[in-house]
Amino acid sequence: MTENLQFDSQGRLRHFLTIEGLRRQTLLEILDTAKSFISVGQREIKKVPLARGKTVVNLFFEASTRTRTTFEIAAKRLSADVINLNIATSSANKGETLLDTVRNLEAMHTDLFVVRHNRSGAAHLIAAHVPAHVHIINAGDGAHAHPTQAMLDAFTIREHKGSFDKLKVAIVGDIQHSRVARSQIHALNTLGVAEVRVIAPKTLLPTAVERLGVVPYTDMKAGLDGVDVVIMLRLQLERMRGAFLPSEQEYFNLYGLTPEKLGYAKKDAIVMHPGPMNRGLEIDSIVADGPQSVILPQVTNGIAVRMAIMALILGGSPNESRSRAPRASE
Amino acid sequence: MSQSFDINAAIDRMAQQLRELNKKQAVMVGIHTGGAWIAERLHKQLALTDPLGTLDISFYRDDFTRIGMNPQVKASNLPVNLEDRHVILVDDVLHTGRTIRAALNEIFDYGRPASVTLAVLIVREGRELPIEAQVAGEHMQLNKRLQAKLIGGPDHLELKIQESHA
């Protein structure tokens, strides 16, 4: 169902809801397109006219300044008109409220909805009910998926490490509850990363996590040994109250990324974090601001990657089913 | 099917016309991919001092919503500030004029040039926009169903004539 929902009847990418079911070719096409959008952000006039006349609604049922802002900038750099809506989630009649909201916005001739919701499957639900000309991008749904974050992480890894096939990547933190980790695992495996490791206390590792195509570790030293990329996850503080963890200090001692622990990784390993960071909880400031950190380039890359995804779904992704038409005129 | 005409001679004619226009201080910009190959040759022949620029007009196409994103987009590279400069815009084939329209729009997003001179290897009929080349290597009559495309660049340029899929 997921795969069908993301593609139109001609097999073109219509929505971007999850990495699952996407081919390596599609992911590479997104990364290649994003690469060319990087230069747009470096120009005096940071705009191209691809989405001129299109209306993009950032529909955020869950607070997120950073992600919403990067989607907003991405859409504006494509020359789209952007509206931001932050809607508090109502606990009652959630499905009905969600679809009613979307139908009302649809009536205003919206072309693309960027949806964030604290319920897994919210973006899929909307995608299943919008007419053919309306596109949905999932900007994070519950503990399920955050596919654009995974793509910007993959982009940042490729920018710093070149190809994926020889890399060892470690994802550290709350794997159990992280939509970011789930999407990263799917993206990295689809892109052909040699080994994806997850490092977390047992309480934050899903059961049978190996089925996702990862090697689990509960010890940082062993897990970071010889890796090329370290991805730290944000620790939700409510997990402390949920008895998943003993104390903040103990978590930092065991799993916080310090210069000493980073020393187990390769010398040229890069450090990533989807943000916002809890300094002193999952990452030491010395590492976060250090020479191996690519946390700020991740933010910059996020705009180009989101521009690429928007452009591909608004214009149709030709690689899924049909050959490329020749250049416009000559 | 390949069209037999001497590409090197056509480039020489373009260089001669550009010399006559006295565009020595101009900035040369080639449109990906064929235009960039021709521009590379002309840039050398004219011994222009400013580095050569290249444009990929994929982000400026007017048919984007009909045929989608080109997955082989190459980033545009304009190493020189275009503000108040004389620009020589180079492409391989001038047909409908839509590529040049897109290129002009992109150039103006980098700055306001003093002038733009259009130089193309082949001019064919079928204009859909009021755009003409000041410099042309060759004029060609082609059935409107056919597409002219430069291949084999940058070293072994050849003109390929094929059925258009547009």
Side-chain angles (χ1 to χ4, degrees), chain A residues 37 40 43 46-51 77-79 307, chain B residues 59-60:
Chain A
F37 276 122
V40 175
R43 298 181 347 193
K46 301 175 184 61
K47 261 185 189 295
V48 293
L50 280 176
R77 287 197 181 158
L78 292 173
S79 303
M307 286 171 80
Chain B
F59 296 153
Y60 290 77

Side-chain angles (χ1 to χ4, degrees), chain B residues 26-40:
Chain B
V27 180
M28 185 167 279
V29 177
I31 301 176
H32 278 302
T33 308
W37 296 334
I38 304 291
E40 209 179 306

Side-chain angles (χ1 to χ4, degrees), chain A residues 21-42:
Chain A
L22 297 185
R23 298 177 199 162
R24 184 165 190 261
Q25 187 188 14
T26 304
L27 301 192
L28 289 174
E29 185 183 307
I30 291 168
L31 299 182
D32 290 343
T33 308
K35 172 92 179 162
S36 53
F37 276 122
I38 288 283
S39 64
V40 175
Q42 294 162 345

Side-chain angles (χ1 to χ4, degrees), chain A residues 29 33 36-37 39-40 43 45 47-50 54 311-312 315-316 318-319 322 324-330, chain B residues 32-33 58-61 63-64 67-71 73 75 91 93-99 106 109-110 147 165:
Chain A
E29 185 183 307
T33 308
S36 53
F37 276 122
S39 64
V40 175
R43 298 181 347 193
I45 297 177
K47 261 185 189 295
V48 293
L50 280 176
K54 302 285 184 188
L312 286 166
N319 276 1
R322 54 181 183 163
R324 166 120 301 272
R327 207 173 80 184
S329 52
E330 285 82 46
Chain B
H32 278 302
T33 308
S58 297
F59 296 153
Y60 290 77
R61 294 172 60 136
D63 54 359
F64 161 70
I67 70 164
M69 196 70 220
N70 182 349
V73 180
D91 204 4
V93 183
L94 173 62
H95 181 204
T96 64
R98 289 177 188 271
T99 297
E106 182 161 6
D109 276 357
Y110 282 89
Q147 184 201 20
H165 303 292

